[in-house]
Structure formats: C-alpha cells, structure tokens
Amino acid sequence: MGSLSFGSSSSTVGLDIGTDHVRAVQLRQAGAGFALSGYGAVEVPMGAVVEGEIVDIEAVTSAIKEVWRRSGVRGKDVSIGVSNQKVIVRLIDLPFMERAELAGAIQYQAQDYIPMAIEESILDFQIIGDYMTPSDEHMMEVLLVAAHRDMISSTVAAVEGAGLRLSQIDVSSFAIVRSLMGLNGMSDLDESGFATGIIHISSGITNIAVVEKGIPRFNRISSLAGNQFTQAVANVLNLTFDEAEHLKITVGLPDIEGGAAVPPDVDPAVAPIVQDSLEREVNKFIAEVRRSLDYYLTQTSQVRTIQRILLTGSGAQLKNLPSFLEKGLQAQVVIGDPLARVQVPANLQQAVFADRMGSATAIGLAMGGVEL
Ligand SMILES: Nc1ncnc2c1ncn2[C@@H]1O[C@H](COP(=O)(O)OP(=O)(O)OP(=O)(O)O)[C@@H](O)[C@H]1O
Ligand SMILES: [Mg+2]
C-alpha cells in the first residue's frame, strides 16, 4: 500500500474527506508563505462517512473524482487527514535512545500506550526532545501515532479508486493546528507558559487539541458536532434533518446579552424552541470540551491554564457560539483563520472565502506538503 508517513512529504494537494464534504486544496510556495493554486469542495452523500471513517468507499471515490473535475486542483499525489476512533496520538516519555534504535523498539514499546492491537496498527513517531530527570536519567519525549490498518486501507481504496496516489497520511488535528498557527505552531502566548486550545467543529466530528510551545501535545475527538446540533433541533420540533438544519443556521444560539431579534423568515413561536434545544446541546458540548482540557491540565506540570482558544470548522459558525464558549470555558475564544498565511488569487476568492472556516483541515494538509 505504499509507505506511510505522518508529517513529511512533498505532495501539495491536501484532501480532506469529511462527513459532509470532500475538500481539496493545492498550494505552492510564495515568498515566506503560501499561495492557493486550486480549491474545490463537493458534498458527500449522507452515511458515506461516519464519525470520520469511510463506510461507503464508492461514494467517497466519486465525490473525490467530482472535486478534480470541478476544481482547478491538478496532480495525483495527495496528503490526507485521518480523524476517528481508530487513530490514536499519544505523547510518551521513554528512556533516551537514538532514532534508529527507537525505530526498532517502538513496536514493542507502543502496546503499553495504545488501546489497539499493535499487529493491526500502523505506527509512526516523532521525537519531540530529550531531558534529564532530577535523578539524572536521560529521557526522551516521543509523539506516537497509531492508526488501524483496516481504516487506512479503506482510505487508500477510496483515494486510489479516484486515480490518485496517497503520498502522506496525517492526523487531521495536526493539519488544523498547522493551518491556524503556521508550520512551527508558535504563538506569542506560548512564551509565557500558556497553552493554546484548538476547537474545530465540523459535521460529524469535533477535534480538540492543545498546543504548547509549537507542539500539539493533546488531541481528542468528539462526535458532538454540527450534525448533533441539527439532530437536537429535529427531535424537539419533530422535523426532518434538512428542515432542522435550515433552522439551526438561520436561528442559532440566543444572544447571551439578550435582545437579539428573531430572523424575519422564522416563526417567532419556533425560534425560542430552536434556541433552547441548541443551548442544551452546546452546554453538553462545553462540558465535554472542559473535561478534555481539564484532563490535559492535570496531566501536565508546566501549564496551569488554557488562556486562549482558537475556534474553527464550518460548525463553529453557529450564531453566538463564541460567547457561549468564552463563558463556559473561561478562556478567550478567537475565531481562527486558516487562510491567514495563504494568498488567494482573485479567481478562487469567492469559493474559498465562503468556506473559510471549513477549509482548515485541507489547507493544513496541503501546507504540510509544500517545501519552504
Ligand atoms: N452558518 C452556520 N451555522 C451553524 N452551523 C453551520 C453553519 N454553516 C455550516 N454549519 C455546519 O457545519 C457542518 C458542516 O461542516 P463541514 O462541511 O466542514 O463538515 P465535514 O468536514 O464534511 O465533516 P467532518 O469533518 O465532521 O467529518 C454542518 O453540521 C453544518 O450544519
Ligand atoms: Mg471536516
């Protein structure tokens, strides 16, 4: 199935296979940053991708082909992102050894940290750094990634079925971090001992990550995402998913300060019901994110708070969501911009600006493949 590498390649097309959309992004180097040379997004039929896993390979293959037909994306080598229960990322501490030695030993070391059978997994690792303990032991910190072979096989099949080559598999949240924070992931806040939280909400999945000193040190996914918000509205009003989706987008959450008017085309009796159901769902969401962030903070000795959260993903466009998150998570919530480091030519602006929030994963995957 070709070689698997998490985090290094020379491919420049980022391919994000999501629950709702397949997106492709092509970048080239431009000065110290990037320029967009191709962009496309195509809808995926409902049920073809479930919780980040490809269920219907054929449907995904035809969506990928459609992206290539409709967009200016060229080239066959793609970098894809995986994000589901079958890819696991752990930061682990091991006694120091050379890289080559670790490559041989990781197979045996990994099982202690990975809740999947190692024989059924593909492993990759990255050495983050080494240090001395107070009792003078030489240790190293290693980022370990394990992905279930069968899950990777479906991805390979969907990509190869569309006549493309898989040159790299990346963890989606690493790509998201790259698109929001740049290649070295450093932010001004990192210097002061604070960590940055990342929340990316799409339709089937939310990615939660924590970045400290440029390194994504924590990563978790949740199935509380856009589709769940829609489903909550559908259930409470006994509507179809599509009807509820429309209401979710037009009504959104209530204004936390109070006083926002109901949109003119929505029944004034229905709007508060929509808002209430969304508010309940978002409160569950906040509790889940809090649990993740608290877990991270108790695991690390250096960082005491997550002061700032970057928010992205199409689902993050829910009206008034940032103020709910700020209040619930007691952190500054900033809308992240995946296009901050990317020049967008006039002919692609309309399409990509309309999908700015949704583009983070594909942009970050493509960024990972450009040699600067
Ligand atoms: N204005 C909006 N307000 C609220 N939600 C929105 C808005 N626009 C889009 N969404 C939500 O964003 C979600 C779609 O996100 P996106 O297309 O990025 O998902 P995806 O990448 O295909 O899926 P995933 O990564 O979860 O597998 C849907 O749940 C949709 O309702
Ligand atoms: Mg997505």
Side-chain angles (χ1 to χ4, degrees):
M1 59 166 279
S3 73
L4 178 78
S5 86
F6 289 99
S8 65
S9 113
S10 57
S11 141
T12 58
V13 181
L15 181 63
D16 170 26
I17 301 170
T19 310
D20 274 12
H21 293 98
V22 166
R23 295 179 172 93
V25 163
Q26 191 155 29
L27 295 177
R28 60 181 169 77
Q29 188 204 338
F34 307 92
L36 191 68
S37 49
Y39 168 81
V42 161
E43 283 192 15
V44 178
M46 202 181 261
V49 177
V50 177
E51 295 192 3
E53 277 192 68
I54 298 174
V55 178
D56 184 344
I57 294 175
E58 238 168 85
V60 171
T61 295
S62 53
I64 297 172
K65 284 184 179 161
E66 190 65 23
V67 181
W68 256 251
R69 260 199 299 277
R70 283 210 235 149
S71 69
V73 171
R74 296 287 168 264
K76 293 206 172 298
D77 292 314
V78 298
S79 184
I80 73 125
V82 284
S83 182
N84 54 57
Q85 299 296 352
K86 293 183 184 158
V87 50
I88 287 156
V89 184
R90 290 280 184 278
L91 204 54
I92 62 175
D93 294 283
L94 295 173
F96 180 82
M97 57 189 108
E98 295 302 329
R99 204 192 145 72
E101 193 187 343
L102 179 61
I106 198 78
Q107 201 75 18
Y108 308 100
Q109 303 276 359
Q111 191 65 79
D112 291 345
Y113 305 94
I114 301 294
M116 277 186 320
I118 292 302
E119 317 78 72
E120 291 166 15
S121 308
I122 299 169
L123 297 177
D124 191 34
F125 67 88
Q126 192 187 332
I127 298 171
I128 302 293
D130 64 313
Y131 61 94
M132 301 302 289
T133 66
S135 51
D136 251 14
E137 286 166 285
H138 195 183
M139 300 290 287
M140 67 202 293
E141 206 175 18
V142 176
L143 193 64
L144 178 64
V145 180
H148 201 280
R149 252 178 228 287
D150 289 348
M151 182 271 293
I152 297 296
S153 301
S154 321
T155 307
V156 172
V159 167
E160 290 184 347
L164 305 173
R165 282 185 297 260
L166 191 57
S167 68
Q168 184 195 7
I169 296 179
D170 206 342
V171 178
S172 300
S173 64
F174 295 173
I176 293 163
V177 168
R178 208 178 287 131
S179 76
L180 299 180
M181 303 182 77
L183 288 181
N184 65 4
M186 284 299 270
S187 88
D188 39 338
L189 286 175
D190 281 350
E191 296 302 328
S192 50
F194 289 113
T196 301
I198 309 270
I199 302 177
H200 181 277
I201 309 172
S202 38
S203 52
I205 277 183
T206 292
N207 280 280
I208 302 162
V210 180
V211 180
E212 222 184 293
K213 295 199 171 64
I215 295 159
R217 298 179 65 97
F218 174 81
N219 160 283
R220 184 160 289 177
I221 60 164
S222 164
S223 53
L224 262 177
N227 280 349
Q228 289 268 28
F229 299 159
T230 303
Q231 196 58 51
V233 174
N235 293 349
V236 77
L237 286 164
N238 207 8
L239 300 173
T240 65
F241 188 86
D242 289 348
E243 290 164 339
E245 174 79 6
H246 175 74
L247 276 176
K248 175 184 84 169
I249 290 173
T250 45
V251 177
L253 288 161
D255 185 343
I256 229 166
E257 311 282 322
V262 173
D265 58 335
V266 178
D267 181 345
V270 167
I273 303 174
V274 173
Q275 291 180 330
D276 281 354
S277 64
L278 289 174
E279 196 173 335
R280 269 196 303 277
E281 222 47 36
V282 165
N283 284 335
K284 282 189 222 161
F285 177 84
I286 288 170
E288 181 137 319
V289 174
R290 272 199 94 108
R291 269 195 300 277
S292 288
L293 299 182
D294 286 348
Y295 173 81
Y296 175 75
L297 290 172
T298 55
Q299 294 291 302
T300 166
S301 55
Q302 287 146 19
V303 176
R304 301 253 174 269
T305 56
I306 291 175
Q307 204 197 21
R308 182 182 65 155
I309 290 171
L310 298 179
L311 181 63
T312 173
S314 296
Q317 297 172 102
L318 189 65
K319 269 181 208 157
N320 295 316
L321 181 65
S323 48
F324 271 81
L325 294 181
E326 281 209 327
K327 187 159 173 251
L329 299 170
Q330 296 288 302
Q332 183 197 6
V333 174
V334 180
I335 303 287
D337 184 5
L339 300 174
R341 291 161 184 83
V342 179
Q343 295 168 26
V344 181
N347 64 321
L348 294 174
Q349 284 180 2
Q350 202 186 352
V352 77
F353 288 172
D355 191 30
R356 186 183 286 268
M357 300 283 275
S359 67
T361 312
I363 294 275
L365 289 169
M367 278 170 75
V370 178
E371 304 275 353
L372 283 181

